[in-house]
Amino acid sequence: MRVEVWSDVVCPWCYVGKRRLETALEQFPHRDQVEVVWRSFQLDPSIPEGETHATLPALARKYGQSEDAMRQNMRRLEEVAAAEGLTYDLAGGISGNTSLAHELLHLAAERGVQGELKELLLHAHFEESRSVFDVDSLVALGAEVGLDETEAREVLTDRRYRAAVDQDSATAQSLGATGVPFFVVDRRYGAAGAQPAELLLQVLERAWADANPLVTVPAAEGCDDGSCAV
């Protein structure tokens, strides 16, 4: 079974959704046969590469709210994250273009450490206030999960995975995704948003049942309706 997750490394709900998926997988008896693939989705690809800005005032302007109102919204989300074991400081966050981070995730997928890098990027951004926007920072983060620093720098310089990032985004659009996180199981079942672990588990179970229907042998003598005829 393949679970594809479209998300961004600066999306606070995406980190919550990741934790909830992990909780669902812990309860799923066939979790050893599940492959999780992290797909690229940029919340704001219009941000110029190489530029960063404070998240709080930018979101307040975007949604037409005061900074105090936005700070209150962020606090509520921080409480949701805390219930999943995550420690956020959203009001002090920095935003930027995440294309390079997604390109590095494609390299990590080819090297077999995509899951590890995805977790590290989210943790670095939300819980350590480390940059995930520039080449030097990303190369250092990649090295922490075993990526070769020279190769990572080359990949982020020649942009060989940029088309793959764009393709992920196009696929998400074709599947009907309007936001993230967006979970797709075997390209047949989808769940939008940071759904509760219980719902994600139901999706996994349904997908597994449909892919592995019960096989029966021809009927033999037996009992019907709780009684037996001798």
Side-chain angles (χ1 to χ4, degrees), residues 10 43-62 74 90-98 125 131 133:
V10 294
L43 288 178
D44 190 355
S46 68
I47 299 176
E49 291 184 12
E51 295 184 12
T52 58
H53 58 258
T55 301
L56 174 60
L59 285 182
R61 289 192 299 271
K62 179 178 180 179
M74 287 177 165
L90 298 178
I94 299 296
S95 296
N97 189 291
T98 57
H125 178 70
S131 174
F133 308 112

Side-chain angles (χ1 to χ4, degrees), residues 97-220:
N97 189 291
T98 57
S99 180
L100 286 173
H102 288 295
E103 290 169 41
L104 190 64
L105 281 165
H106 277 274
L107 171 64
E110 292 193 359
R111 299 295 174 262
V113 292
Q114 190 191 45
E116 292 86 341
L117 181 61
K118 181 70 173 185
E119 173 66 26
L120 181 58
L121 290 172
L122 289 164
H123 176 70
H125 178 70
F126 286 109
E127 301 191 291
E128 296 185 325
S129 298
R130 296 170 65 184
S131 174
V132 294
F133 308 112
D134 62 277
V135 172
D136 288 342
S137 297
L138 289 168
V139 168
L141 288 164
E144 290 185 33
V145 299
L147 292 180
D148 179 80
E149 293 187 38
T150 299
E151 181 181 38
R153 189 174 296 278
E154 289 175 353
V155 161
L156 297 178
T157 300
D158 65 29
R159 312 301 296 273
R160 70 187 69 171
Y161 291 104
R162 190 168 191 170
V165 171
D166 292 340
Q167 182 59 54
D168 276 357
S169 298
T171 301
Q173 185 175 9
S174 71
L175 292 173
T178 57
V180 286
F182 185 64
F183 304 89
V184 176
V185 182
D186 288 341
R187 292 290 173 101
R188 297 184 63 190
Y189 302 94
Q195 298 288 350
E198 294 80 5
L199 187 144
L200 293 173
L201 178 59
Q202 291 174 15
V203 173
L204 293 172
E205 291 173 339
R206 173 67 184 276
W208 182 267
D210 286 353
N212 300 274
L214 178 65
V215 176
T216 60
V217 297

